[in-house]
Amino acid sequence: MSYPLVTTDWLETNLNLEQLILVDASMSKVVGKKAIEYEMPLYIPNSRRLDLERSLCDPNSSQTHAFPTEEQFTAVAQRLGINSESIVVFYDNQGIYSAPRAWWIFQVMGFKNVFVLDGGLPQWLLENRRVVPNTSNIETEVGNINGIFNPQLICDSNFIFEQMNNKQLAVLDARSRDRFLGIAPEPRDGVRSGHIPNSISLPYSEVLDGHCFKIDEQLAAIFSARLDSKTSTLVFTCGSGITACIILLSAVIAGYRDLILYDGSWSDWGSNIALPVGN
């Protein structure tokens, strides 16, 4: 994977680049932090809008925020005007929240020329850069992108259950420490409190500095302090597979490469009484 972030300076300089597809992937519901609220919608100029919660979640799955199918991904990405040679940049209105999820979906579907705007809309506004009240009204031609799903980049509960005692694999949980310990209630009905046995707590707030990611060296230190030197594969989980992508992206920044998303995350594991809960 190439370096996954672009800066606000880079984006402002390249806003009118022909190959650039800039996409707002904000979500309406924010969990795990106090949401940044806006009096009116604001967008970076030339933005296109992606409804991540509806357009890129499989509606036929019982799983919360289930990964889209190849066909679903291809249809949505083509409607956004994305071609094989496009440069896609995602951002969201919380700084770093849902944009990493969109980035990982594109990675899993085989499109690598995709990036996240470090700091998102809040950092853009903090630097007094220009915003607009609507997304781009430019008529978008249908793109030619085709998704090719890589199943090795996501996993389910069966995989984690089988690998729980594998010392070369670590499961990192992006939820708050209190939810991990089971002393804070889960936001979804029917989901037990606690965590996957042998998993490691890494609240996503710990990899952020204000609206942006911490620098590479700081992130590398965060991971090395939690991981055994023999660990080669990292699996990421959270409540429903959204904020897990924040710490997954931070692992890429820190230099890790063998990375997997547990897409069902705790909403899947915690609702299955046949699966154990860690102490």
Side-chain angles (χ1 to χ4, degrees), residues 235-246:
V235 177
F236 299 86
T237 182
C238 59
S240 64
I242 303 297
T243 61
C245 296
I246 299 175

Side-chain angles (χ1 to χ4, degrees), residues 6-218:
V6 299
T7 65
T8 50
D9 282 341
W10 183 92
L11 182 59
E12 188 170 55
T13 300
N14 291 279
L15 264 180
N16 296 313
L17 190 68
E18 185 177 356
Q19 304 100 306
L20 179 67
I21 305 291
L22 178 63
V23 183
D24 179 327
S26 303
M27 292 177 65
S28 59
K29 185 176 182 180
V30 176
V31 177
K33 61 171 279 187
K34 180 176 173 56
I36 300 172
E37 297 182 352
Y38 298 83
E39 292 183 1
M40 59 179 290
L42 296 172
Y43 303 95
I44 298 172
N46 299 341
S47 295
R48 303 174 191 189
R49 180 79 180 97
L50 170 64
D51 188 342
L52 189 63
E53 294 163 281
R54 297 179 184 176
S55 298
L56 284 185
C57 291
D58 185 354
N60 297 317
S61 173
S62 59
Q63 182 178 298
T64 306
H65 298 141
F67 232 71
T69 64
E70 270 187 10
E71 294 76 17
Q72 186 184 5
F73 168 84
T74 296
V76 170
Q78 287 185 354
R79 283 200 300 270
L80 286 168
I82 298 172
N83 295 309
S84 56
E85 68 275 13
S86 296
I87 301 169
V88 179
V89 175
F90 287 109
Y91 73 94
D92 63 65
N93 62 14
Q94 298 300 308
I96 296 292
Y97 186 73
S98 52
R101 169 73 176 193
W103 167 83
W104 189 242
I105 289 174
F106 272 64
Q107 293 283 337
V108 173
M109 292 295 178
F111 188 85
K112 304 303 181 184
N113 206 21
V114 58
F115 307 89
V116 170
L117 175 63
D118 197 15
L121 180 63
Q123 188 67 27
W124 186 270
L125 290 169
L126 190 64
E127 296 165 354
N128 296 311
R129 302 179 193 267
R130 189 169 75 90
V131 293
V132 294
N134 302 105
T135 53
S136 176
N137 58 6
I138 300 171
E139 187 171 338
T140 302
E141 292 186 9
V142 174
N144 61 23
I145 183 176
N146 282 289
I148 303 174
F149 176 68
N150 183 349
Q152 295 181 331
L153 298 181
I154 65 170
C155 70
D156 58 15
S157 59
N158 290 331
F159 174 85
I160 293 189
F161 184 77
E162 292 169 359
Q163 299 291 328
M164 274 196 307
N165 296 313
N166 182 353
K167 299 298 183 184
Q168 294 182 317
L169 180 143
V171 178
L172 293 151
D173 191 326
R175 295 175 301 155
S176 70
R177 183 71 176 168
D178 284 353
R179 284 178 67 190
F180 180 86
L181 294 174
I183 59 179
E186 286 298 308
R188 296 174 180 87
D189 292 338
V191 178
R192 298 170 295 170
S193 296
H195 60 268
I196 297 168
N198 300 331
S199 61
I200 300 166
S201 176
L202 177 53
Y204 73 84
S205 59
E206 293 190 20
V207 304
L208 302 178
D209 182 7
H211 301 308
C212 301
F213 280 102
K214 290 179 177 176
I215 62 174
D216 306 28
E217 294 81 4
Q218 291 174 313

